[in-house]
Amino acid sequence: MKRLSILLLIALMYSCKQVIVNQGECVMPDEIESMEIVKNKNSESDQDSEQDEQEPRLCTMIPQEKDANLDTNVTLINFSDKQKEKMHKAITRIKIAINSVEFKKRVLAHTYKGETTFVQNDGLTNEEIYYIIMDAAEELSPQVDNELDLEIQMYYSRKRVVGYTYPNVTKIWVNSKYFNTNSLAAVAANVVHEWTHKLGFGHDYKSTSRRPYSVPYGVGTIIKEIIEQM
Ligand SMILES: [Zn+2]
């Protein structure tokens, strides 16, 4: 009986596996002061560290869509200070990416098998999906507030799940196993992925060939790629 209910629980939640790619990350001007110098893990001694230190690469500011002004309303639970800092950096980048000209262009141009559409789109056009995202009226908090309401809880599991949520709760869970080492772009993609579930979008539970073209995966990938270009 217990086993059955655990299986049921797993089937009910959206578990979200994503590919991890770490890339050379940029720095926002206001992040320079709080920056930690990350040393090359391969270097065996610190003797050459002065030569190895590189100027941080400033993020490229990308054009913003003039009518786009999505903000965030963030609550972090069970985060260490270091994890908080990382999540806030990811969220800063989400705001820039989601309000960009590029984001609108790519959501509107999203294709699956040659058709301009998302998989499991609830009958919505790409343009309708874009404006649902920009309204940010979560199903459980349905006023159009142009704010991503994010209540994110850190947990640890050795399972291959980056993050998950349930349809009937506002909370999103993020697995520290992946969070701690993921790039900011990958963290951001996962947060946006989970958040689109809050807007009511779903995807196949299993790793089907069409799943990457669902709204959560498709939009998550767009966010990730825009941040990687910054
Ligand atoms: Zn998902």
Side-chain angles (χ1 to χ4, degrees):
M1 187 60 196
K2 196 181 175 197
R3 188 178 163 81
L4 185 70
S5 51
I6 289 170
L7 282 174
L8 194 65
L9 190 68
I10 291 169
L12 281 173
M13 73 188 197
Y14 302 108
S15 86
C16 311
K17 294 170 188 171
Q18 284 163 346
V19 179
I20 305 147
V21 183
N22 273 307
Q23 294 217 342
E25 286 173 347
C26 68
V27 181
M28 297 286 168
D30 61 351
E31 289 169 0
I32 291 175
E33 268 183 51
S34 64
M35 248 187 66
E36 260 183 70
I37 303 295
V38 180
K39 285 179 187 148
N40 187 341
K41 279 181 190 165
N42 296 326
S43 73
E44 301 221 89
S45 78
D46 288 335
Q47 284 177 352
D48 297 323
S49 61
E50 245 175 86
Q51 280 175 330
D52 291 345
E53 272 177 28
Q54 288 182 342
E55 283 290 304
R57 183 176 66 79
L58 282 177
C59 299
T60 313
M61 284 303 129
I62 54 173
Q64 300 287 284
E65 183 64 29
K66 69 171 172 17
D67 297 323
N69 195 23
L70 263 191
D71 207 342
T72 54
N73 177 18
V74 187
T75 308
L76 303 181
I77 304 154
N78 289 350
F79 278 64
S80 70
D81 287 348
K82 196 175 168 189
Q83 289 169 332
K84 267 184 205 161
E85 191 184 337
K86 182 168 182 175
M87 185 54 93
H88 284 302
K89 283 181 181 175
I91 288 167
T92 299
R93 285 155 179 77
I94 287 173
K95 278 198 265 186
I96 296 169
I98 211 163
N99 290 316
S100 70
V101 173
E102 178 76 10
F103 179 73
K104 182 176 185 182
K105 196 178 98 188
R106 289 190 55 176
V107 171
L108 265 53
H110 187 273
T111 59
Y112 174 64
K113 289 192 171 174
E115 269 188 61
T116 305
T117 188
F118 283 87
V119 165
Q120 289 168 282
N121 57 18
D122 298 339
L124 299 165
T125 65
N126 288 4
E127 190 174 20
E128 286 166 337
I129 289 169
Y130 174 76
Y131 285 109
I132 286 173
I133 292 169
M134 302 317 281
D135 283 348
E138 294 87 356
E139 285 188 324
L140 298 174
S141 171
Q143 68 282 9
V144 175
D145 58 1
N146 307 107
E147 252 185 12
L148 288 86
D149 299 324
L150 299 170
E151 186 186 359
I152 309 173
Q153 182 161 330
M154 187 62 72
Y155 76 106
Y156 172 78
S157 164
R158 51 197 288 273
K159 288 185 193 155
R160 292 190 60 198
V161 175
V162 180
Y164 67 89
T165 189
Y166 305 95
N168 58 344
V169 294
T170 55
K171 210 182 268 182
I172 289 168
W173 284 264
V174 169
N175 188 352
S176 62
K177 177 186 168 186
Y178 292 99
F179 175 85
N180 290 345
T181 51
N182 263 357
S183 66
L184 294 175
V187 169
N190 178 243
V191 168
V192 172
H193 173 121
E194 301 302 338
W195 178 72
T196 63
H197 287 313
K198 303 289 137 216
L199 300 176
F201 295 106
H203 57 71
D204 292 335
Y205 179 70
K206 288 188 175 174
S207 178
T208 56
S209 62
R210 69 174 193 165
R211 192 174 73 167
Y213 303 91
S214 61
V215 174
Y217 278 94
V219 170
T221 299
I222 291 170
I223 290 291
K224 180 166 176 283
E225 290 178 357
I226 291 175
I227 292 174
E228 284 171 353
Q229 286 164 14
M230 280 166 46

